[in-house]
Amino acid sequence: MAFQIVENVPQLDSGCNFEKWTKVLEAYFISNDIAAEEKKRAWFILGLGREGYQTLRMLLLPAAPTDKMYEECKEALMAHFSPKPPRVSRGKEPELKRAESLSKDQGQVQKDKGQVQKDKGQVQRDTSQVQRDTSQVQNDTGQVLRDKGQMQSGRSQRQREIAIQRATLAIQAAFRGMNVRREIRNKQKAATVIQAAFRRHRVYRQYKAMRLAAIIVQTHYRAHLQMESDCKTYMKVRRSVVLHQAAYRGMLVRRQLRGMHKSVKVIQTYYQMYKQRQYFKKLRRSAIAVQQRYRACQIRDVQVRQYKSLREAVVCIQA
């Protein structure tokens, strides 16, 4: 839809897109060299109209729109007219639950706004009924005045008419005050519900961020502690394994040395036995040779003596 221009200021209609309207208003500020925040806020409120100003006032309760800056007012209405959908990350069930809860809260807020609109329509209908009753009372009052004039009742009738008019005005004022207070209470309740839902959403988002950061810090800290304990356990086990390996290897080496010592002793024993045997055989051969020579010498001496005695005997016989 086209924007209405009131004194060269674009007006926000009920069917207009708020984001497009803000862009047109920014272009108006640039074209007219409006840079001060107070002027921007004044032109912004002027362009909102009656309904837009009421909506802004409800969103900024308990503060007034004139107490806020231009950017704060624009962001409040932007969040109201163009709410951003919540981001949902795939595969994360807590985030999906949070998004569902937020969508439920937004649905509840929309229902509350619809109820507020219904109450507002009811108030308007009651106001129209009061106006009709007021017109009827005024007609009745006129008829009474005409009757009083015809009857020429005088001062007492006039006082009675004044009393009736005052009573009527008092009843109308009380009824209108009651309707206005009811409407204000309904608007305050709706604004309180909307503000509470938004503040809860904002605080819950901050809480989720802080909780995620705390979980990350705790995870890293616990991982660091677990790494230190695992390193200590690994070093103990490694030292134990090294000691057991050293003891086992020493046992194997000692067993191997004992086997080698036994083998060496056996070899040495057999070698020494062989050397002694060879030496014994050599001595035996020498002893046998000596004995043979000695016995041969003895037999030779006996034979020589026998020969000499026989030779002497032969010589004696021959002589």
Side-chain angles (χ1 to χ4, degrees):
M1 293 181 63
F3 299 102
Q4 297 180 1
I5 306 298
V6 178
E7 294 181 356
N8 297 327
V9 180
Q11 293 291 308
L12 177 64
D13 294 335
S14 59
C16 295
N17 190 348
F18 181 77
E19 187 174 1
K20 293 181 179 179
W21 179 77
T22 54
K23 291 182 180 178
V24 173
L25 188 63
E26 292 289 341
Y28 176 79
F29 290 161
I30 294 172
S31 63
N32 290 278
D33 294 330
I34 299 175
E37 289 291 329
E38 291 79 8
K39 291 185 178 180
K40 285 186 177 181
R41 181 183 61 198
W43 287 110
F44 179 79
I45 293 174
L46 182 62
L48 287 177
R50 183 177 180 182
E51 294 182 359
Y53 180 77
Q54 291 294 333
T55 304
L56 179 62
R57 187 176 181 183
M58 289 174 61
L59 292 174
L60 296 179
L61 285 176
T66 55
D67 297 334
K68 299 292 183 178
M69 301 301 291
Y70 164 71
E71 292 294 333
E72 295 178 353
C73 297
K74 186 177 75 173
E75 289 176 0
L77 287 176
M78 184 69 72
H80 176 70
F81 289 107
S82 301
K84 295 182 180 179
R87 298 180 180 176
V88 180
S89 59
R90 298 179 180 176
K92 295 185 178 180
E93 191 173 358
E95 295 294 328
L96 289 175
K97 292 182 179 179
R98 184 171 67 84
E100 291 177 359
S101 65
L102 288 177
S103 64
K104 290 180 181 179
D105 293 338
Q106 290 180 357
Q108 186 65 31
V109 170
Q110 293 295 331
K111 290 180 181 179
D112 294 338
K113 289 173 68 178
Q115 186 65 31
V116 169
Q117 294 294 331
K118 291 180 181 179
D119 295 339
K120 187 176 180 180
Q122 184 66 30
V123 169
Q124 291 177 355
R125 288 193 293 272
D126 294 339
T127 304
S128 64
Q129 183 65 31
V130 169
Q131 290 177 356
R132 287 195 295 271
D133 294 339
T134 303
S135 64
Q136 184 66 30
V137 169
Q138 289 177 356
N139 292 331
D140 295 339
T141 305
Q143 185 66 32
V144 169
L145 291 173
R146 286 191 296 270
D147 294 339
K148 296 291 184 179
Q150 292 176 2
M151 293 175 66
Q152 295 179 357
S153 59
R155 184 180 297 176
S156 60
Q157 188 66 29
R158 179 64 179 171
Q159 291 178 355
R160 187 180 300 173
E161 291 174 0
I162 293 172
I164 293 172
Q165 186 177 4
R166 288 179 179 176
T168 304
L169 292 175
I171 293 171
Q172 290 177 353
F175 185 76
R176 290 173 182 172
M178 180 185 69
N179 289 332
V180 170
R181 286 191 294 273
R182 183 186 299 171
E183 183 180 359
I184 291 174
R185 283 197 299 270
N186 292 330
K187 289 182 179 180
Q188 287 179 351
K189 287 181 181 179
T192 302
V193 171
I194 295 170
Q195 288 178 353
F198 178 74
R199 289 169 182 171
R200 188 185 75 84
H201 167 67
R202 185 173 59 189
V203 172
Y204 185 73
R205 185 173 58 188
Q206 294 177 357
Y207 164 74
K208 291 291 288 183
M210 292 176 65
R211 184 172 179 270
L212 181 61
I215 290 173
I216 292 173
V217 172
Q218 289 178 354
T219 303
H220 284 282
Y221 181 69
R222 290 171 181 171
H224 178 69
L225 294 179
Q226 186 67 29
M227 181 188 68
E228 289 184 351
S229 64
D230 291 343
C231 287
K232 290 180 181 178
T233 305
Y234 169 74
M235 292 303 295
K236 290 181 181 178
V237 172
R238 185 174 181 275
R239 285 194 292 269
S240 302
V241 169
V242 169
L243 290 175
H244 283 82
Q245 288 179 350
Y248 181 72
R249 289 172 182 171
M251 181 186 70
L252 292 178
V253 170
R254 287 191 294 272
R255 184 182 297 174
Q256 186 177 4
L257 286 175
R258 284 197 297 270
M260 292 175 66
H261 287 164
K262 288 182 181 179
S263 301
V264 169
K265 287 181 181 179
V266 170
I267 293 171
Q268 288 178 352
T269 302
Y270 278 98
Y271 180 72
Q272 291 176 0
M273 181 184 70
Y274 171 75
K275 288 180 66 177
Q276 293 295 328
R277 191 176 183 84
Q278 293 296 327
Y279 182 69
F280 170 73
K281 287 181 179 179
K282 185 178 180 181
L283 288 176
R284 184 181 177 189
R285 286 194 299 269
S286 300
I288 290 171
V290 171
Q291 287 177 357
Q292 287 178 356
R293 293 292 299 274
Y294 179 73
R295 289 172 182 173
C297 290
Q298 285 184 351
I299 293 171
R300 186 196 62 186
D301 293 338
V302 171
Q303 290 293 332
V304 169
R305 282 196 300 272
Q306 289 179 359
Y307 172 73
K308 286 182 177 182
S309 62
L310 183 59
R311 184 172 177 269
E312 288 178 356
V314 170
V315 170
C316 287
I317 294 170
Q318 289 178 357

